[in-house]
Amino acid sequence: MEIRLKNLTKVFPGNAKKGIKDTVAVDNLDIVIPDGKLIGLLGPSGCGKSTTLYMIAGLLEPTSGEIWFGDEEVTRLSPDKRGIGLVFQNYALYPHMTIYKNIAFPLTNLRVDDVKKDKNGNPVLDEKGNEIRVKRKLYPEEIDSMVRETAKIVQIENFLERKPAQLSGGQQQRVAIARALVKRPKVLLLDEPLSNLDARLRLQTREEIRRIQTSTGVTTIFVTHDQEEAMSISDEIVVMKLGVKQQRAHPQEVYNNPCNKFVANFLGTPPINFFEGEIKGGKAIINGEEIVDVSAKKLKDQKVTIGIRPEGFEVNSKGTFHINVTSVETLGRDISIIGVHPNSERPTVKCIIDADTNVKPGTIALNVKPHKCFIFDKDTEERIF
Ligand code: ADP
Ligand code: MG
């Protein structure tokens, strides 16, 4: 099911008397989420991710804008009519119920459309001889097969008689996902579903979520503030800042071609290095040293912010860029050089280079790989090269 958000906006009203301003949590969001894809909604805490998700789920009413599921507008539809499955960060399972009952729970009040039947199971006809359709509860055997089938998808079919406390965090999270999937939703909404798990389980469970999503083909929105998580799991990511969409693309594309300083900064560990610099005669210059040739873009001479990814440096005695190395950390395959530079925005500059390179503290010469170097307008912070 394709999901379309059109100019979606949510304002939480403030209180003028108490001097509390309105909060524009989501600002004119336009996103199309293609059928069967997993989209990562990524941004720092407070940027409007959960608010967006709850509007899609029908738990929050938008201030303006529209939400479409395929050809149907669902903006004002109640949550139970939307066919969504929702998993929260705190995936509270019912502690006194078995896993089986936890998963079956959403089905107990579900009504399905069916042909009216008599005691013998034969269709009841109206006076014109047409079948009569009714809404009915699910039969116990239908519930049973749906629960077992879903449990199999998330691989917890052997734990159905246990209570939640008898499962690990990762297994409990899979139960929460099963509970969201059991009604066969058209849309799966996951709000930071891994943040309560330890590092190893987080990795394992995110691979699991990807597998489940691929095998069911359910259109999924995965909300997280963790860039690595979003990058690893998503078909495409949408980066948000203060309620506003910044960029939407394939994860690698967002990393390789960030549209502004915020996006460049948000993706990548260790983070990108920023330097005060300038454009002069078609060259990008930091502290009087030429970094890259930017003449292809015909930029006017100006002060700029220059971003260089940690992997964007090469140690080379003929290099034009110099930093003062303060320490060298060996990471196995790579080494991490930590240094200082007078134009660096952060206290330290980080370079990740091949472990075969021999580096000692002191001044070293570096070359900068042009495709790892981004130049931003000093005021607007938009990327200009
Ligand atoms: P995220 O999930 O990205 O961390 P949220 O969507 O929860 O962000 O919040 C976005 C903004 O809206 C924040 O500034 C938050 O304080 C504000 N906000 C969220 N819910 C409410 C609410 N019920 N009333 C007022 N402000 C809210
Ligand atoms: Mg949130």
Side-chain angles (χ1 to χ4, degrees):
M1 173 78 64
E2 179 190 86
I3 306 170
R4 239 172 322 141
L5 312 181
K6 288 189 192 169
N7 305 104
L8 197 64
T9 298
K10 179 69 185 179
V11 181
F12 291 108
N15 186 327
K17 276 189 202 145
K18 293 184 182 162
I20 302 169
K21 286 191 193 145
D22 290 357
T23 304
V24 185
V26 176
D27 194 354
N28 244 307
L29 202 58
D30 260 311
I31 308 177
V32 180
I33 296 144
D35 181 35
K37 295 285 185 214
L38 190 158
I39 299 292
L41 202 53
L42 175 66
S45 178
C47 75
K49 305 180 298 291
S50 296
T51 305
T52 304
L53 212 62
Y54 299 161
M55 287 194 284
I56 298 170
L59 302 175
L60 272 178
E61 195 174 324
T63 308
S64 59
E66 295 172 9
I67 303 167
W68 290 74
F69 285 2
D71 298 332
E72 188 190 6
E73 189 186 347
V74 301
T75 318
R76 321 253 163 238
L77 206 63
S78 70
D80 57 303
K81 296 210 171 71
R82 294 193 187 196
I84 48 137
L86 187 58
V87 179
F88 295 98
Q89 177 176 343
N90 301 307
Y91 41 87
L93 302 174
Y94 300 109
H96 58 284
M97 288 186 192
T98 61
I99 300 307
Y100 184 99
K101 290 211 167 121
N102 265 283
I103 299 174
F105 192 76
L107 300 176
T108 45
N109 289 316
L110 192 67
R111 297 285 188 282
V112 289
D113 195 48
D114 197 6
V115 176
K116 190 172 181 180
K117 292 192 185 122
D118 63 19
K119 271 182 280 175
N120 302 321
N122 298 316
V124 179
L125 305 179
D126 65 12
E127 58 272 22
K128 286 185 185 150
N130 296 321
E131 290 176 343
I132 302 171
R133 298 201 74 83
V134 288
K135 292 268 185 198
R136 65 159 176 87
K137 283 190 165 192
L138 289 168
Y139 302 129
E141 56 273 22
E142 287 175 315
I143 291 182
D144 189 67
S145 78
M146 286 165 88
V147 169
R148 289 182 193 283
E149 211 171 288
T150 314
K152 220 178 211 162
I153 294 174
V154 303
Q155 298 178 348
I156 46 164
E157 68 267 38
N158 297 327
F159 308 126
L160 288 173
E161 295 317 316
R162 292 198 199 176
K163 298 270 175 70
Q166 294 168 306
L167 298 185
S168 72
Q171 289 165 338
Q172 289 184 34
Q173 187 58 302
R174 277 187 268 161
V175 176
I177 295 168
R179 199 169 56 178
L181 285 175
V182 74
K183 281 207 261 178
R184 312 280 147 77
K186 294 172 281 187
V187 172
L188 182 62
L189 305 172
L190 306 166
D191 192 3
E192 314 239 9
L194 308 179
S195 41
N196 283 340
L197 304 178
D198 66 42
R200 196 180 52 85
L201 262 181
R202 207 153 53 220
L203 203 73
Q204 203 180 323
T205 313
R206 93 181 178 209
E207 283 164 11
E208 195 79 338
I209 288 177
R210 187 53 171 161
R211 182 186 60 75
I212 295 164
Q213 193 273 333
T214 317
S215 71
T216 56
V218 59
T219 309
T220 302
I221 304 179
F222 184 98
V223 161
T224 177
H225 64 272
D226 181 328
Q227 51 101 15
E228 197 192 320
E229 203 167 279
M231 298 260 291
S232 66
I233 202 173
S234 312
D235 291 309
E236 285 190 79
I237 56 176
V238 175
V239 184
M240 285 178 73
K241 174 194 176 189
L242 295 172
V244 181
K245 177 175 78 176
Q246 305 290 302
Q247 189 167 6
R248 179 256 175 86
H250 186 271
Q252 199 61 42
E253 172 65 13
V254 180
Y255 184 79
N256 291 341
N257 271 312
C259 68
N260 60 29
K261 190 181 173 193
F262 174 86
V263 174
N265 189 36
F266 202 72
L267 271 69
T269 33
I272 189 166
N273 303 289
F274 289 118
F275 302 90
E276 276 175 32
E278 60 183 324
I279 304 286
K280 211 171 174 182
K283 311 263 193 257
I285 292 166
I286 299 173
N287 201 22
E289 297 183 320
E290 183 188 326
I291 305 304
V292 285
D293 184 341
V294 294
S295 55
K297 255 280 176 75
K298 306 252 179 298
L299 298 167
K300 66 173 183 353
D301 289 1
Q302 59 188 302
K303 295 250 184 267
V304 291
T305 303
I306 299 178
I308 306 172
R309 293 258 184 233
E311 70 276 22
F313 299 97
E314 265 167 351
V315 178
N316 185 322
S317 57
K318 296 200 185 80
T320 54
F321 183 57
H322 294 82
I323 66 164
N324 190 6
V325 177
T326 51
S327 64
V328 179
E329 289 171 2
T330 309
L331 307 171
R333 191 185 47 191
D334 304 318
I335 58 173
S336 166
I337 301 174
I338 297 152
V340 290
H341 188 282
N343 289 38
S344 172
E345 281 189 8
R346 286 190 241 270
T348 57
V349 177
K350 279 209 168 172
C351 317
I352 305 288
I353 55 168
D354 197 274
D356 297 335
T357 319
N358 189 14
V359 178
K360 295 205 169 56
T363 301
I364 57 162
L366 300 165
N367 272 335
V368 174
K369 300 174 191 167
H371 67 288
K372 294 287 180 184
C373 176
F374 312 122
I375 300 175
F376 305 97
D377 185 283
K378 193 136 190 64
D379 302 316
T380 65
E381 303 195 339
E382 291 302 310
R383 175 141 165 240
I384 57 173
F385 184 86

